Amino acid sequence: MKKSALSAALLLLPTLILAGWALWLPIPRADDPGLRIRLLGFDPRDLLRGHYLLARLDIHDLPPGRFGPDDCVCLFDRPQDPGRPGFTPLPSCAAAILKTCPLPLSDPGRELRLYQSQEMAQALENWLAGGKRIVDIDVRFDGKGGIALQDIRVDGQTPDSGR
């Protein structure tokens, strides 16, 4: 009896750890505020690390290299240029300051790594050659400077829609 209870506990422990870890991950929620933001700096052929789309968020007037991991900005929508939000630098990334901003973002100049399937990476490479396509992504803000990314689009359509 003790042996079977110990075996059950040993089997249950990894499951509980995995469930706790999954619940701790930032999950985009429908009620999190969001924006569709264009992407810059494409390289879907990073074969050594898998098929990733390497990109940065296209934030209007954000100079490259100006912000680091301890810097936070407050983004705002610019109706005259959809997909390219404006920003206001925040004095710090303290929780009290981030709460004053509806769309806070920490380290806005960071490089994003978006995994794509092999077929999708090749298609993105073909579509983006020459830079004549608009690629954007839905960015959800968690209110603490973090973001969740979902629903990449090329010219307003999902890349796998069979163009």
Side-chain angles (χ1 to χ4, degrees):
M1 180 77 173
K2 286 184 180 182
K3 201 173 202 180
S4 63
L6 181 61
S7 296
L10 288 175
L11 288 174
L12 186 61
L13 184 63
T15 305
L16 291 174
I17 291 171
L18 182 61
W21 173 73
L23 291 173
W24 188 46
L25 290 174
I27 299 171
R29 289 176 231 131
D31 58 342
D32 284 347
L35 278 178
R36 286 209 73 82
I37 301 178
R38 291 185 199 159
L39 296 175
L40 293 172
F42 309 99
D43 181 14
R45 298 172 295 147
D46 191 357
L47 298 179
L48 295 176
R49 295 185 184 121
H51 299 282
Y52 286 90
L53 176 65
L54 302 177
R56 285 184 38 219
L57 296 176
D58 187 2
I59 300 170
H60 179 73
D61 285 340
L62 180 73
R66 178 174 173 216
F67 293 89
D70 293 330
D71 294 319
C72 288
V73 297
C74 184
L75 297 183
F76 57 88
D77 193 19
R78 297 175 54 243
Q80 70 274 22
D81 193 2
R84 295 189 69 219
F87 74 97
T88 303
L90 295 173
S92 77
C93 293
I97 292 173
L98 292 176
K99 286 182 182 180
T100 65
C101 173
L103 304 173
L105 177 62
S106 64
D107 190 14
R110 70 177 171 244
E111 186 176 81
L112 306 170
R113 301 173 80 69
L114 307 167
Y115 178 77
Q116 302 296 312
S117 67
Q118 181 176 354
E119 298 79 24
M120 185 85 69
Q122 290 170 347
L124 281 169
E125 180 183 3
N126 291 335
W127 292 334
L128 295 170
K132 295 183 179 177
R133 303 265 185 178
I134 294 175
V135 178
D136 61 17
I137 194 162
D138 187 35
V139 179
R140 295 285 169 179
F141 298 85
D142 68 4
K144 301 172 191 168
I147 56 174
L149 305 169
Q150 59 189 26
D151 190 33
I152 191 166
R153 303 254 171 164
V154 177
D155 291 339
Q157 297 181 11
T158 56
D160 58 355
S161 63
R163 291 180 194 231

